[in-house]
Structure formats: structure tokens, C-alpha cells
Amino acid sequence: MQNAAQLGIVLAAQEFGIFLMADAGLLEGKKVTANPLICREMEVNYNAICTLMPVQRDDGIVTTDPTMSTVSFARAIVGEIEEKKP
């Protein structure tokens, strides 16, 4: 996963998938969102910045609280991909 991030590949996750990114060391200092319990865990244990927004984008990483908006999540992923195009 770190190799993908280094290559500029957009990474996206919701719910417990966010923990995979956190465990890979990708979320430190990054803005993320999820349900409030996961957000608290991200702030306390992974030094992420939790916004509690429906969808959050930060430098090629897209996270969401799926109870809020899956359509916005898909649009955010496409937006990140579009921005990464050379």
C-alpha cells in the first residue's frame, strides 16, 4: 500500500479499510473521516486529523463514513484520479 501511495495511486477506504491505511503509516497528519468511533481511534492512535465530514480528500487519500454518502465518495475518488493525471 505504501508503494501505491508513493507512485501517486489514489487510495480510498471506508470503515475498517481505513485501519489498513493507518497501519501502513499513510494517515499520520492526514485529514480523514469515518464514523465517530473510528475517527477517535484514528486521532488517538494514528495521529490523523478527523474531520467527521461525509467524505474527506487529502493528497491522494479518500475516506468516507458510508452511512453519510456513497455517491459523494465515488465522486471524490474520481476527483482525486483526475487531479493525479499528468
Side-chain angles (χ1 to χ4, degrees), residues 14-16 21 30 32 38 47-49 54 56 65 67 71 73 83:
Q14 60 185 9
E15 294 293 333
F16 295 104
M21 284 196 252
K30 299 283 186 191
V32 299
I38 292 174
N47 298 314
I49 303 160
Q56 183 63 59
D65 177 349
T67 62
V71 172
F73 182 49
E83 287 181 14

PDB file of all heavy atoms in Angstrom, residues 14-16 21 30 32 38 47-49 54 56 65 67 71 73 83:
ATOM      1  N   GLN A  14     -13.259   3.045   3.425  1.00  0.00           N
ATOM      2  CA  GLN A  14     -14.323   3.385   4.350  1.00  0.00           C
ATOM      3  C   GLN A  14     -14.309   2.374   5.480  1.00  0.00           C
ATOM      4  O   GLN A  14     -13.754   1.292   5.344  1.00  0.00           O
ATOM      5  CB  GLN A  14     -15.675   3.399   3.648  1.00  0.00           C
ATOM      6  CG  GLN A  14     -16.066   2.082   3.029  1.00  0.00           C
ATOM      7  CD  GLN A  14     -17.347   2.182   2.236  1.00  0.00           C
ATOM      8  OE1 GLN A  14     -17.864   3.256   2.010  1.00  0.00           O
ATOM      9  NE2 GLN A  14     -17.867   1.051   1.807  1.00  0.00           N
ATOM     10  N   GLU A  15     -14.892   2.764   6.582  1.00  0.00           N
ATOM     11  CA  GLU A  15     -14.977   1.917   7.763  1.00  0.00           C
ATOM     12  C   GLU A  15     -13.633   1.278   8.115  1.00  0.00           C
ATOM     13  O   GLU A  15     -12.646   1.970   8.225  1.00  0.00           O
ATOM     14  CB  GLU A  15     -16.078   0.862   7.576  1.00  0.00           C
ATOM     15  CG  GLU A  15     -17.469   1.437   7.496  1.00  0.00           C
ATOM     16  CD  GLU A  15     -17.956   2.066   8.789  1.00  0.00           C
ATOM     17  OE1 GLU A  15     -17.513   1.666   9.874  1.00  0.00           O
ATOM     18  OE2 GLU A  15     -18.800   2.971   8.708  1.00  0.00           O
ATOM     19  N   PHE A  16     -13.585  -0.035   8.222  1.00  0.00           N
ATOM     20  CA  PHE A  16     -12.376  -0.676   8.726  1.00  0.00           C
ATOM     21  C   PHE A  16     -11.235  -0.707   7.714  1.00  0.00           C
ATOM     22  O   PHE A  16     -10.093  -0.960   8.070  1.00  0.00           O
ATOM     23  CB  PHE A  16     -12.698  -2.075   9.270  1.00  0.00           C
ATOM     24  CG  PHE A  16     -13.605  -1.990  10.465  1.00  0.00           C
ATOM     25  CD1 PHE A  16     -14.939  -2.301  10.350  1.00  0.00           C
ATOM     26  CD2 PHE A  16     -13.119  -1.539  11.683  1.00  0.00           C
ATOM     27  CE1 PHE A  16     -15.787  -2.185  11.447  1.00  0.00           C
ATOM     28  CE2 PHE A  16     -13.956  -1.421  12.769  1.00  0.00           C
ATOM     29  CZ  PHE A  16     -15.290  -1.748  12.662  1.00  0.00           C
ATOM     30  N   MET A  21      -4.985   1.453   5.949  1.00  0.00           N
ATOM     31  CA  MET A  21      -4.137   2.589   5.578  1.00  0.00           C
ATOM     32  C   MET A  21      -3.384   3.122   6.792  1.00  0.00           C
ATOM     33  O   MET A  21      -2.206   3.459   6.694  1.00  0.00           O
ATOM     34  CB  MET A  21      -4.976   3.706   4.959  1.00  0.00           C
ATOM     35  CG  MET A  21      -5.393   3.440   3.545  1.00  0.00           C
ATOM     36  SD  MET A  21      -5.959   4.953   2.762  1.00  0.00           S
ATOM     37  CE  MET A  21      -7.689   4.632   2.680  1.00  0.00           C
ATOM     38  N   LYS A  30      -2.730  13.311   8.159  1.00  0.00           N
ATOM     39  CA  LYS A  30      -3.682  13.438   7.053  1.00  0.00           C
ATOM     40  C   LYS A  30      -5.094  13.665   7.595  1.00  0.00           C
ATOM     41  O   LYS A  30      -5.459  13.179   8.660  1.00  0.00           O
ATOM     42  CB  LYS A  30      -3.711  12.171   6.188  1.00  0.00           C
ATOM     43  CG  LYS A  30      -2.412  11.834   5.538  1.00  0.00           C
ATOM     44  CD  LYS A  30      -2.167  12.720   4.363  1.00  0.00           C
ATOM     45  CE  LYS A  30      -0.911  12.252   3.636  1.00  0.00           C
ATOM     46  NZ  LYS A  30      -0.485  13.191   2.658  1.00  0.00           N
ATOM     47  N   VAL A  32      -8.845  12.737   7.574  1.00  0.00           N
ATOM     48  CA  VAL A  32      -9.639  11.542   7.279  1.00  0.00           C
ATOM     49  C   VAL A  32     -11.033  11.729   7.852  1.00  0.00           C
ATOM     50  O   VAL A  32     -11.271  12.621   8.658  1.00  0.00           O
ATOM     51  CB  VAL A  32      -9.004  10.260   7.867  1.00  0.00           C
ATOM     52  CG1 VAL A  32      -7.635  10.006   7.288  1.00  0.00           C
ATOM     53  CG2 VAL A  32      -8.960  10.305   9.375  1.00  0.00           C
ATOM     54  N   ILE A  38     -14.422   5.327  14.877  1.00  0.00           N
ATOM     55  CA  ILE A  38     -13.210   5.111  14.093  1.00  0.00           C
ATOM     56  C   ILE A  38     -12.393   6.395  14.038  1.00  0.00           C
ATOM     57  O   ILE A  38     -11.166   6.371  14.149  1.00  0.00           O
ATOM     58  CB  ILE A  38     -13.548   4.587  12.683  1.00  0.00           C
ATOM     59  CG1 ILE A  38     -14.122   3.169  12.774  1.00  0.00           C
ATOM     60  CG2 ILE A  38     -12.315   4.603  11.781  1.00  0.00           C
ATOM     61  CD1 ILE A  38     -14.619   2.603  11.465  1.00  0.00           C
ATOM     62  N   ASN A  47      -2.482   9.518  14.820  1.00  0.00           N
ATOM     63  CA  ASN A  47      -2.178  10.938  14.583  1.00  0.00           C
ATOM     64  C   ASN A  47      -2.788  11.482  13.303  1.00  0.00           C
ATOM     65  O   ASN A  47      -2.210  12.336  12.639  1.00  0.00           O
ATOM     66  CB  ASN A  47      -0.668  11.184  14.597  1.00  0.00           C
ATOM     67  CG  ASN A  47      -0.073  10.854  15.945  1.00  0.00           C
ATOM     68  OD1 ASN A  47      -0.614  11.249  16.965  1.00  0.00           O
ATOM     69  ND2 ASN A  47       1.016  10.125  15.946  1.00  0.00           N
ATOM     70  N   ALA A  48      -3.959  10.983  12.951  1.00  0.00           N
ATOM     71  CA  ALA A  48      -4.691  11.519  11.804  1.00  0.00           C
ATOM     72  C   ALA A  48      -5.568  12.675  12.287  1.00  0.00           C
ATOM     73  O   ALA A  48      -5.823  12.828  13.479  1.00  0.00           O
ATOM     74  CB  ALA A  48      -5.553  10.429  11.177  1.00  0.00           C
ATOM     75  N   ILE A  49      -6.012  13.482  11.353  1.00  0.00           N
ATOM     76  CA  ILE A  49      -6.883  14.612  11.658  1.00  0.00           C
ATOM     77  C   ILE A  49      -8.282  14.242  11.181  1.00  0.00           C
ATOM     78  O   ILE A  49      -8.526  14.152   9.977  1.00  0.00           O
ATOM     79  CB  ILE A  49      -6.392  15.884  10.939  1.00  0.00           C
ATOM     80  CG1 ILE A  49      -4.954  16.188  11.344  1.00  0.00           C
ATOM     81  CG2 ILE A  49      -7.326  17.052  11.222  1.00  0.00           C
ATOM     82  CD1 ILE A  49      -4.233  17.097  10.368  1.00  0.00           C
ATOM     83  N   PRO A  54     -18.761  13.993   5.530  1.00  0.00           N
ATOM     84  CA  PRO A  54     -19.236  12.787   4.848  1.00  0.00           C
ATOM     85  C   PRO A  54     -18.132  12.126   4.021  1.00  0.00           C
ATOM     86  O   PRO A  54     -18.010  10.908   4.001  1.00  0.00           O
ATOM     87  CB  PRO A  54     -20.365  13.291   3.955  1.00  0.00           C
ATOM     88  CG  PRO A  54     -20.831  14.542   4.612  1.00  0.00           C
ATOM     89  CD  PRO A  54     -19.596  15.153   5.240  1.00  0.00           C
ATOM     90  N   GLN A  56     -13.808  12.827   2.854  1.00  0.00           N
ATOM     91  CA  GLN A  56     -12.614  13.646   3.045  1.00  0.00           C
ATOM     92  C   GLN A  56     -11.547  13.234   2.041  1.00  0.00           C
ATOM     93  O   GLN A  56     -11.275  12.053   1.868  1.00  0.00           O
ATOM     94  CB  GLN A  56     -12.066  13.477   4.462  1.00  0.00           C
ATOM     95  CG  GLN A  56     -10.877  14.325   4.766  1.00  0.00           C
ATOM     96  CD  GLN A  56     -11.198  15.810   4.696  1.00  0.00           C
ATOM     97  OE1 GLN A  56     -12.060  16.296   5.411  1.00  0.00           O
ATOM     98  NE2 GLN A  56     -10.525  16.527   3.818  1.00  0.00           N
ATOM     99  N   ASP A  65     -17.459   8.156   5.609  1.00  0.00           N
ATOM    100  CA  ASP A  65     -18.365   7.479   6.526  1.00  0.00           C
ATOM    101  C   ASP A  65     -19.494   6.977   5.630  1.00  0.00           C
ATOM    102  O   ASP A  65     -20.292   7.777   5.138  1.00  0.00           O
ATOM    103  CB  ASP A  65     -18.899   8.460   7.573  1.00  0.00           C
ATOM    104  CG  ASP A  65     -19.909   7.831   8.507  1.00  0.00           C
ATOM    105  OD1 ASP A  65     -20.366   6.696   8.239  1.00  0.00           O
ATOM    106  OD2 ASP A  65     -20.266   8.477   9.499  1.00  0.00           O
ATOM    107  N   THR A  67     -22.238   5.687   5.983  1.00  0.00           N
ATOM    108  CA  THR A  67     -23.625   5.976   6.350  1.00  0.00           C
ATOM    109  C   THR A  67     -24.038   7.359   5.865  1.00  0.00           C
ATOM    110  O   THR A  67     -25.210   7.693   5.877  1.00  0.00           O
ATOM    111  CB  THR A  67     -23.824   5.900   7.872  1.00  0.00           C
ATOM    112  OG1 THR A  67     -23.014   6.896   8.512  1.00  0.00           O
ATOM    113  CG2 THR A  67     -23.470   4.536   8.414  1.00  0.00           C
ATOM    114  N   VAL A  71     -22.320   8.129  -2.873  1.00  0.00           N
ATOM    115  CA  VAL A  71     -22.198   8.817  -4.158  1.00  0.00           C
ATOM    116  C   VAL A  71     -21.090   9.863  -4.079  1.00  0.00           C
ATOM    117  O   VAL A  71     -20.248   9.969  -4.974  1.00  0.00           O
ATOM    118  CB  VAL A  71     -23.543   9.453  -4.580  1.00  0.00           C
ATOM    119  CG1 VAL A  71     -23.371  10.329  -5.812  1.00  0.00           C
ATOM    120  CG2 VAL A  71     -24.581   8.379  -4.838  1.00  0.00           C
ATOM    121  N   PHE A  73     -18.587   9.788  -2.127  1.00  0.00           N
ATOM    122  CA  PHE A  73     -17.337   9.040  -2.008  1.00  0.00           C
ATOM    123  C   PHE A  73     -16.821   8.692  -3.402  1.00  0.00           C
ATOM    124  O   PHE A  73     -15.653   8.921  -3.719  1.00  0.00           O
ATOM    125  CB  PHE A  73     -17.580   7.779  -1.181  1.00  0.00           C
ATOM    126  CG  PHE A  73     -16.370   6.923  -0.917  1.00  0.00           C
ATOM    127  CD1 PHE A  73     -15.182   7.459  -0.443  1.00  0.00           C
ATOM    128  CD2 PHE A  73     -16.435   5.554  -1.096  1.00  0.00           C
ATOM    129  CE1 PHE A  73     -14.085   6.653  -0.176  1.00  0.00           C
ATOM    130  CE2 PHE A  73     -15.352   4.739  -0.827  1.00  0.00           C
ATOM    131  CZ  PHE A  73     -14.174   5.294  -0.365  1.00  0.00           C
ATOM    132  N   GLU A  83      -7.169  14.729 -10.696  1.00  0.00           N
ATOM    133  CA  GLU A  83      -6.093  15.633 -10.279  1.00  0.00           C
ATOM    134  C   GLU A  83      -4.726  14.996 -10.425  1.00  0.00           C
ATOM    135  O   GLU A  83      -3.735  15.696 -10.596  1.00  0.00           O
ATOM    136  CB  GLU A  83      -6.310  16.092  -8.838  1.00  0.00           C
ATOM    137  CG  GLU A  83      -7.439  17.080  -8.693  1.00  0.00           C
ATOM    138  CD  GLU A  83      -7.630  17.536  -7.268  1.00  0.00           C
ATOM    139  OE1 GLU A  83      -6.753  17.310  -6.417  1.00  0.00           O
ATOM    140  OE2 GLU A  83      -8.686  18.139  -7.004  1.00  0.00           O
TER     141      GLU A  83
END
